[in-house]
Amino acid sequence: MRKAFISPTKYVQGEDELFNLGYFVKTFGNSALLIAHPEDVKRVRAKLDYTINKFNITLVESNFGGECSREEVRRLQGLAKDNACSCTIGLGGGKAIDTAKCVAEGEALIIVPTIAATDAPTSHSAVLYTPDGQFDDYAYFKQSPSVVMIDTTVIAAAPTRFLVSGMGDALSTYFEARATSNSYSNVNAGLPCGVREGACGPAKGTNTALALAKFCYETLLKDGPSAKVACDCNLVTPALENIIEANILLSGLGFESGGLAAAHAIHNGLTSLAGTHHYYHGEKVAFSTIAQLVLENADQDELQEVLDFCIAVGLPVCLADIGVDSVSAEELLEVARKACIPEESIHSMPFPVTAEAVAAAIRVADQLGRNYKQGRGA
């Protein structure tokens, strides 16, 4: 059996870690293309100026347009070439990070998230969009980022909703990896056939990835509520540090090397409902995780534990929590059909899945969440 595991070359997190950015740039050369939204640059300007002076490096600012499109990638690759940049830095949220991955194409890449809202920073994949923000395609590269650097002080200063959304994304990691393991399905780390010409074929997840995914879940339960309070106060505590690591590193390694299953596929289907568009990825994944547990008829104690956690940190537990106050049977079936298209990760569940079964699971998950909130007087 062929198995695969993928990870960044180096992961480092700590308070004021951005002061050390220049050190990592110097491992590649003396200059870097900085891909970041101007507002994110403004937030950390003092730290960037410090590291530029301390390590005598040049950061070429790119005036990133905000969309990870083919046009923007080509423009930025030209800018990097014209300025003989030694490496690429993606600083900010998901779009800046994915754009940096596409520009670097798997070489000399430093990722600096300013929020802990998803597990994308460690991965070797990116999502491309059209210039007007419509989904275009997925991109995969030969390796994960060279360096993932997390300044926990910056994360603590960001709105708490980002951190909570990251917990929602991380919440699915163990349950999806468990399902993938039970079904012996392929994982992204193996570069499935057809992803890229010359790829060496599909692979299963490792026991290491499954163990990391489980530890991710355990960390969320233990430290999630306290980390949320710390972020509300804009303070770095051990609990916040642990949740940042869970959201970014444990979940990132878990999803890519452990596998995705129903939760992310259901999330993708739910995006067809207009009401969900104002909610973050992780918020929708949290509800989708409950739907996956219903779909697989998970142990009731486990389902209760997940509901308790979501309420404790403020994650959605029903459709109304992600902007869907009402949905018809036909609309829900359409959501389920999109979740069940042949290429979706839902087929990594360890049993055959139909659109009708998924629609039923979403409806029941919604009602369970509503009942739970009513029972708590919410």
Side-chain angles (χ1 to χ4, degrees):
M1 183 184 298
R2 184 170 186 267
K3 296 186 176 184
F5 184 91
I6 192 168
S7 68
T9 305
K10 188 176 186 70
Y11 176 94
V12 57
Q13 75 171 54
E15 294 177 74
D16 297 320
E17 190 61 38
L18 257 177
F19 287 143
N20 298 319
L21 177 61
Y23 168 82
F24 293 104
V25 172
K26 292 289 277 191
T27 63
F28 300 108
N30 295 315
S31 65
L33 177 67
L34 178 64
I35 300 175
H37 191 280
E39 286 300 313
D40 286 319
V41 174
K42 184 178 178 180
R43 287 174 58 199
V44 298
R45 172 61 71 187
K47 291 183 177 182
L48 293 178
D49 289 343
Y50 175 91
T51 202
I52 287 169
N53 294 327
K54 180 178 180 180
F55 295 98
N56 192 28
I57 61 166
T58 299
L59 296 184
V60 178
E61 296 190 27
S62 60
N63 194 28
F64 174 53
E67 195 57 75
C68 183
S69 66
R70 297 175 189 273
E71 293 81 356
E72 183 72 344
V73 169
R74 282 195 294 268
R75 181 185 76 83
L76 293 171
Q77 286 177 329
L79 186 62
K81 182 178 181 181
D82 291 344
N83 289 274
C85 294
S86 307
C87 62
T88 304
I89 300 169
L91 182 149
K95 293 294 180 72
I97 287 171
D98 276 4
T99 302
K101 291 178 185 178
C102 294
V103 170
E105 296 182 333
E107 298 284 356
L109 174 62
I110 302 172
I111 296 296
V112 187
T114 56
I115 55 176
T118 72
D119 51 19
T122 64
S123 81
H124 75 313
S125 61
V127 183
L128 283 159
Y129 296 85
T130 63
D132 62 354
Q134 300 296 311
F135 172 79
D136 181 0
D137 200 0
Y138 294 104
Y140 293 85
F141 306 101
K142 66 179 182 179
Q143 60 192 16
S144 299
S146 308
V147 179
V148 177
M149 168 185 284
I150 316 294
D151 188 322
T152 55
T153 311
V154 173
I155 301 294
T160 304
R161 185 181 173 190
F162 288 123
L163 184 81
V164 173
S165 175
M167 286 193 264
D169 200 17
L171 178 63
S172 72
T173 304
Y174 169 57
F175 301 111
E176 293 190 282
R178 182 178 69 184
T180 300
S181 176
N182 289 340
S183 66
Y184 294 94
S185 295
N186 297 326
V187 299
N188 285 350
L191 290 175
C193 292
V195 165
R196 189 180 69 224
E197 189 173 337
C200 51
K204 313 303 178 186
T206 60
N207 293 332
T208 299
L210 183 59
L212 290 173
K214 185 176 182 182
F215 183 53
C216 178
Y217 178 59
E218 293 168 349
T219 303
L220 292 175
L221 296 181
K222 177 178 178 292
D223 291 315
S226 294
K228 179 181 183 296
V229 174
C231 199
D232 286 338
C233 298
N234 303 127
L235 296 172
V236 177
T237 65
L240 180 62
E241 291 175 327
N242 289 345
I243 289 302
I244 291 170
E245 182 180 341
N247 285 7
I248 296 175
L249 181 61
L250 292 174
S251 185
L253 300 180
F255 99 79
E256 204 160 40
S257 294
L260 298 175
H264 271 78
I266 292 171
H267 160 276
N268 294 343
L270 287 170
T271 61
S272 64
L273 300 177
T276 68
H277 295 174
H278 300 292
Y279 290 83
Y280 295 153
H281 171 82
E283 293 170 334
K284 289 175 280 192
V285 169
F287 171 74
S288 299
T289 300
I290 298 170
Q292 174 177 321
L293 292 174
V294 172
L295 181 67
E296 62 185 330
N297 195 28
D299 181 84
Q300 286 300 301
D301 288 341
E302 185 174 71
L303 183 57
Q304 184 71 37
E305 186 174 65
V306 169
L307 287 166
D308 286 341
F309 170 76
C310 288
I311 292 296
V313 299
L315 283 167
V317 296
C318 62
L319 288 172
D321 290 344
I322 53 172
V324 182
D325 293 316
S326 64
V327 59
S328 69
E330 184 53 41
E331 288 173 326
L332 203 55
L333 188 57
E334 183 58 27
V335 167
R337 289 189 185 113
K338 290 185 177 180
C340 292
I341 60 175
E343 58 268 32
E344 265 295 2
S345 59
I346 202 164
H347 302 294
S348 291
M349 296 300 291
F351 48 80
V353 177
T354 65
E356 290 75 14
V358 172
I362 295 171
R363 183 71 77 185
V364 171
D366 175 50
Q367 192 60 54
L368 284 172
R370 291 174 186 269
N371 292 347
Y372 184 85
K373 291 177 71 174
Q374 289 172 0
R376 292 174 56 93

